[in-house]
Amino acid sequence: MGKKLIANLKMNMQIEDIKDYIKNIENYCYGNIDIIICPSYIHIPFFANRQFKLGSQNVSVHEKGAYTGEVSSSQLKEVGVKYCIVGHKELRNNFGDTTDIINSKIKNCFSDRIIPIVCIGEDKQDKLMGSKKQVLRREILDIFKDLNREDMNNLIIAYEPLWAVGSGMMPSSEEISDTIDFIKNLFYSAYKINVDVLYGGSINSKNLHDILSVENCDGFLVGNSSSNIDEMIKIINMINNS
Ligand code: PGA
């Protein structure tokens, strides 16, 4: 299987930008790459039934009911969403997503056959104190503690150091490789599953070259650069030619 490229469009783009974006990206949906685009909720119908796969940037912790402003996993499924980013730094920081909330959101995804892309990563302080692996271990054991093992075969992990998201900073390719190994081994020893692990955080067409050589990395979660058509095309071509 090819590498995954997940585009987190965040709260970018207006309707007039979307047509052009889709037309361009669809021309590049071939080769050894699995492209998953995650637009704003309101733009999801424009991105449905295309050459790429469709993801959401979030899902409600609730199943249905009086939760103004929320969108449930069953509503996402109905409009063709197949993947959902869960536990993103911006939701943890701005909207208080905790380990328990992330755990419930993953359960909702599983119950509607949506593949969660779960973001985990250490913050700057953890990195400086040398406690990155302890933090990742705690997250992995807490978030996934009571999840159905069979469901967990349909799971993607995005290793996104919190200090790297949106900052222009990145770990070295050796560090990324070592951390991905650690995550994969822990998932195997704790849950007996072989999980796909992506890297995310400040990726662009200029620095992608280094990470492309990381063999155990199953793909990339790209934020800010992914809403720029030229950047996306460069990134897709680089992955396809790697
Ligand atoms: P970034 O964001 O590429 O802008 O750092 C990553 C993300 O949103 O997951």
Side-chain angles (χ1 to χ4, degrees):
M1 251 234 291
K3 299 227 187 229
K4 292 183 173 55
L5 171 60
I6 301 182
N8 174 14
L9 300 183
K10 310 202 184 207
M11 201 172 67
N12 292 313
M13 288 204 216
Q14 301 296 127
I15 290 176
E16 64 187 49
D17 310 320
I18 289 176
K19 256 199 191 150
D20 211 27
Y21 185 88
I22 291 175
K23 197 171 78 196
N24 273 282
I25 303 303
E26 279 199 306
N27 283 333
Y28 289 86
C29 290
Y30 59 84
N32 203 23
I33 189 168
D34 207 5
I35 301 175
I36 301 159
I37 312 264
C38 306
S40 291
Y41 280 146
I42 194 156
H43 293 157
I44 283 175
F46 296 100
F47 285 82
N49 303 313
R50 303 287 181 177
Q51 296 297 320
F52 44 76
K53 293 175 180 159
L54 180 59
S56 162
Q57 297 174 16
N58 191 15
V59 62
S60 177
V61 71
H62 304 289
E63 282 171 32
K64 63 179 201 172
Y67 299 104
T68 304
E70 292 280 85
V71 177
S72 72
S73 52
S74 60
Q75 291 172 325
L76 290 174
K77 182 185 178 186
E78 209 171 39
V79 291
V81 167
K82 299 278 192 286
Y83 296 82
C84 178
I85 299 172
V86 181
H88 192 275
K89 169 194 171 178
E90 287 148 20
L91 280 144
R92 294 183 192 233
N93 286 359
N94 302 329
F95 298 97
D97 275 18
T98 59
T99 301
D100 284 348
I101 288 175
I102 294 166
N103 170 281
S104 300
K105 288 184 172 185
I106 297 170
K107 285 180 184 153
N108 289 352
C109 286
F110 282 152
S111 69
D112 282 300
R113 300 261 163 271
I114 292 172
I115 298 179
I117 302 155
V118 183
C119 303
I120 56 172
E122 78 285 0
D123 66 19
K124 188 85 185 242
Q125 186 75 2
D126 305 323
K127 177 180 161 59
L128 293 175
M129 285 171 45
S131 49
K132 172 180 73 182
K133 288 185 179 169
Q134 267 162 272
V135 169
L136 290 172
R137 173 187 295 277
R138 195 176 342 111
E139 285 216 289
I140 292 169
L141 297 181
D142 287 353
I143 292 175
F144 300 95
K145 58 180 186 284
D146 58 349
L147 292 171
N148 179 295
R149 299 289 163 90
E150 216 164 289
D151 287 339
M152 278 175 69
N153 286 311
N154 293 310
L155 170 71
I156 298 171
I157 297 296
Y159 169 53
E160 293 212 311
L162 302 182
W163 54 271
V165 175
S167 68
M169 292 185 292
M170 242 189 195
S172 68
S173 46
E174 290 76 22
E175 281 173 299
I176 293 174
S177 174
D178 179 63
T179 310
I180 290 181
D181 246 352
F182 173 78
I183 294 171
K184 288 190 176 201
N185 288 336
L186 184 53
F187 265 95
Y188 194 77
S189 61
Y191 305 114
K192 296 284 169 291
I193 60 160
N194 292 309
V195 74
D196 277 357
V197 183
L198 319 180
Y199 169 78
S202 292
I203 295 174
N204 58 44
S205 65
K206 293 197 178 65
N207 59 28
L208 180 64
H209 187 260
D210 295 340
I211 340 169
L212 273 175
S213 60
V214 177
E215 278 185 18
N216 58 359
C217 180
D218 299 300
F220 311 97
L221 172 45
V222 183
N224 287 320
S225 304
S226 70
S227 44
N228 178 306
I229 296 175
D230 292 341
E231 270 292 278
M232 263 300 269
I233 292 173
K234 279 188 198 158
I235 289 171
I236 292 170
N237 282 333
M238 287 175 77
I239 297 173
N240 255 331
N241 295 328
S242 69

